[in-house]
Amino acid sequence: MSTTFTIDTATSRANPTPAPMKRLTVPAVRARKQGGTTVEPLVMLTAYSVRMAQILDPHCDMLLVGDSLGQVIYGLPSTVPVSLDMMCAHGAAVVRGSYHSLVVVDMPFGSYEGSPEQAFASAARILKETGAAAVKLEGGEAMATTIRFLVDRGIPVMGHVGLTPQAVNALGGYGARGRSEAERAKIVADSLAIAEAGCFSIVVEGVIEPIAIEITEKVACPIIGIGASAECDGQVLVVDDMLGMFDRVPRFVKRYDDLATRIGETVATYAAEVRDRSFPTADQVYRPKN
C-alpha cells in the first residue's frame, strides 16, 4: 500500500509552491561563456531569506547568500564578524525558497584562510547544511592553492577579486581599486590565477572599468561585475541596495525603487488606523457562528 502526501501551501508563508523549473547547475553557468563571450549576461542578486528567494528566483540565474547579511540583516559594521552559523542558516533558507537559481553561499572571514583543509571543512559544512551548489571566497593568487584543493574535492568555487570587503582593515576602506598600475596588474593576475585554479565564475568588485573589461576578455570563466563594467559577463547587487531599503548606498548601485519610503508610508497609515480605531474592521475580526 502506498500513500501520497501533498503539501497544503495555502496558509504557509514558509513553503513555496513548487514551480516547473530545473535549477541551474554550475556547469550550465560556466558554459554561458563560450569562446570568451557571454551572449546573455548572467543575472545575480543577494538573498538572505525564504520569501526574498521566492520573489527573486524566477528572474535570476544565481542567488548569492552574501556575507553582506552582516550589515544588511544584523547591523554589523562590516562583514568581518559574520559567522559560519549565520551563513548556514540563511543559506538553507534561500535554498528552501528557490527552485531555479543556482545558490552560492559566501564563506565568512576566518573560515577558510588558515589552510586548504580548514577551507574544505567549512565549505563541506555549508553545502551539507544548506543544500547550496557552490561557495564563494575572497582573494587572489594567495587563495589559488585552496581553491584548487576544494575544486579537486568536488566543491564548486566562485572567486572574488578587486575590492574584497573581508579585507577592509587591510585595504583601509571601500574605495575603488586599481588606480595604480601595480594594483591593476595585481588584480588581473589574481583573476587569472584563481580562474586557472578552477573557479567556475569570479566576482569583480569596485574596480576601475578598464580593469574589469580586461579581466572579462582574458579570463575564460564568467566574470560577474559589481561596480565594474556593463561589459562583464553578468552583474550582481545587494538586493536591499537596489530596492532602496537604505538611505546610503555605494556609488555603483542603481536604486530601482524606494521601498524604504513606501514601507514607511504604509506603516504610518496602519499606525494612524490603529490609533483612531478604524482598524480592524468587520472584515478582519471573527464573529460567532449562528
Side-chain angles (χ1 to χ4, degrees):
M1 177 179 174
S2 63
T3 303
T4 300
F5 294 96
T6 59
I7 299 175
D8 179 8
T9 59
T11 60
S12 174
R13 294 186 181 92
N15 296 307
T17 301
M21 294 181 177
K22 183 178 179 181
R23 194 184 290 276
L24 285 176
T25 64
V26 166
V29 169
R30 174 65 184 82
R32 289 280 284 272
K33 188 171 186 177
Q34 296 288 340
T37 302
T38 300
V39 175
E40 182 182 358
L42 290 153
V43 178
M44 189 175 192
L45 285 170
T46 63
Y48 317 111
S49 66
V50 168
R51 185 57 184 146
M52 188 59 77
Q54 291 172 337
I55 295 168
L56 303 182
D57 188 49
H59 310 287
C60 293
D61 300 301
M62 294 184 282
L63 294 177
L64 172 64
V65 187
D67 58 0
S68 49
L69 63 81
Q71 293 142 305
V72 173
I73 303 295
Y74 293 96
L76 297 171
S78 72
T79 63
V80 173
V82 171
S83 70
L84 203 54
D85 286 344
M86 290 178 185
M87 298 311 304
C88 286
H90 288 274
V94 170
V95 170
R96 287 195 296 270
S98 59
Y99 288 92
H100 165 66
S101 302
L102 176 77
V103 178
V104 182
V105 179
D106 265 340
M107 297 185 70
F109 178 73
S111 69
Y112 61 93
E113 299 91 337
S115 68
E117 290 78 11
Q118 180 204 25
F120 179 81
S122 298
R125 180 187 167 191
I126 288 172
L127 297 192
K128 283 183 175 182
E129 294 188 14
T130 68
V135 296
K136 180 170 77 65
L137 58 80
E138 297 181 7
E141 289 182 287
M143 296 309 304
T145 299
T146 294
I147 291 167
R148 173 52 64 189
F149 190 89
L150 296 180
V151 171
D152 284 348
R153 286 156 181 78
I155 296 180
V157 178
M158 175 179 281
H160 186 151
V161 300
L163 172 59
T164 48
Q166 291 178 8
V168 62
N169 293 319
L171 295 175
Y174 295 100
R177 317 309 300 178
R179 294 192 182 279
S180 70
E181 175 55 30
E183 196 171 48
R184 181 208 67 79
K186 182 179 187 310
I187 294 170
V188 173
D190 282 342
S191 303
L192 292 168
I194 64 174
E196 178 64 26
C199 284
F200 74 92
S201 180
I202 300 172
V203 169
V204 175
E205 178 173 0
V207 301
I208 306 305
E209 186 176 28
I211 298 175
I213 295 172
E214 181 179 358
I215 293 170
T216 302
E217 292 174 346
K218 288 184 174 180
V219 174
C221 69
I223 301 300
I224 310 299
I226 175 169
S229 173
E231 294 190 34
C232 292
D233 302 300
Q235 301 293 327
V236 63
L237 285 175
V238 172
V239 68
D240 299 75
D241 288 343
M242 58 89 73
L243 292 177
M245 290 295 287
F246 294 102
D247 293 332
R248 296 179 61 189
V249 296
R251 178 182 177 277
F252 56 74
V253 172
K254 178 178 178 178
R255 295 179 66 177
Y256 286 81
D257 206 329
D258 185 9
L259 285 193
T261 296
R262 295 207 281 144
I263 291 170
E265 291 170 348
T266 301
V267 174
T269 300
Y270 163 75
E273 291 186 2
V274 169
R275 291 177 179 128
D276 67 16
R277 298 187 186 277
S278 62
F279 172 83
T281 69
D283 292 335
Q284 289 93 38
V285 298
Y286 297 98
R287 300 293 184 183
K289 293 183 178 180
N290 294 328

